[in-house]
Amino acid sequence: MVASPRYIAVPLEVTVNRPVAEVWNRIGKFCDIRDWLRMPCTILSGKEGELGAVRSVGNEVMVGKTEFSYTYTQPVKEGRPYNLYHGTLEARAVTATTSKLIYSLIFDNSMLPDDAAREKDKASKAAQFQGLLQNMKILAEGGTLPPAPARSAAPSAAGATPPR
């Protein structure tokens, strides 16, 4: 337990030139993360698209969903303060032919040493996830992604297992 949590929100979005149903059909399944994150994903428990499903990426658990969104959390991990990490991916219609992808992160970064470190962590996550939204946009618009960059072995500072 963290004595004085500091919850932060990182709201991000990108416009996609496709109808919302097409966008969600391409990137909206829980393990579609394999395509836009470019790492393997399998359902470890439950069923794809159902509440309570657990995916192999971060052992994340689906805790909410709508027709064009889902919310997930990461479980408590031994030896690490729980940061209440939650993410929501949503596709929203803007017009009949365009959509908006919205990715919202919420977590506690109080375990970082100071405000400068917390701001750096927030900026890093914002840049990382904006890049992932760009990947989703490319895929949803029918494009293909370049090869994935090499991954480092170290987890990020605020408890994120591989980048989501």
Side-chain angles (χ1 to χ4, degrees):
M1 182 171 177
V2 175
S4 300
R6 291 179 181 222
Y7 300 109
I8 64 159
V10 182
L12 303 163
E13 61 183 60
V14 67
T15 300
V16 181
N17 296 310
R18 288 285 191 270
V20 68
E22 285 182 29
V23 170
W24 198 247
N25 186 53
R26 177 59 184 97
I27 58 91
K29 291 184 227 39
F30 202 39
C31 259
D32 280 348
I33 191 172
R34 76 174 66 80
D35 299 331
W36 45 268
L37 185 58
R38 297 177 286 181
M39 79 179 337
C41 179
T42 57
I43 298 297
L44 301 175
S45 176
K47 293 182 181 175
E48 172 68 62
E50 290 185 1
L51 290 175
V54 179
R55 66 182 172 196
S56 58
V57 177
N59 286 336
E60 293 167 340
V61 182
M62 184 185 291
V63 295
K65 65 179 261 182
T66 66
E67 182 180 11
F68 299 123
S69 75
Y70 65 77
T71 298
Y72 64 92
T73 190
Q74 290 185 343
V76 174
K77 294 177 182 158
E78 188 174 343
R80 192 185 314 186
Y82 180 58
N83 69 358
L84 198 70
Y85 181 97
H86 282 71
T88 298
L89 176 60
E90 175 186 4
R92 190 178 297 170
V94 176
T95 69
T97 59
T98 60
S99 306
K100 186 185 305 186
L101 282 173
I102 303 160
Y103 209 127
S104 305
L105 304 173
I106 300 195
F107 58 95
D108 170 19
N109 69 357
S110 65
M111 65 280 300
L112 296 173
D114 55 38
D115 287 343
R118 286 185 277 280
E119 283 304 312
K120 183 178 177 184
D121 180 62
K122 182 178 180 181
S124 172
K125 282 184 178 41
Q128 174 186 21
F129 282 85
Q130 194 65 51
L132 294 175
L133 276 172
Q134 284 302 124
N135 286 354
M136 289 181 239
K137 173 183 172 70
I138 290 167
L139 293 170
E141 290 178 349
T144 57
L145 299 179
R151 296 197 180 276
S152 68
S156 66
T161 13
R164 296 154 297 296

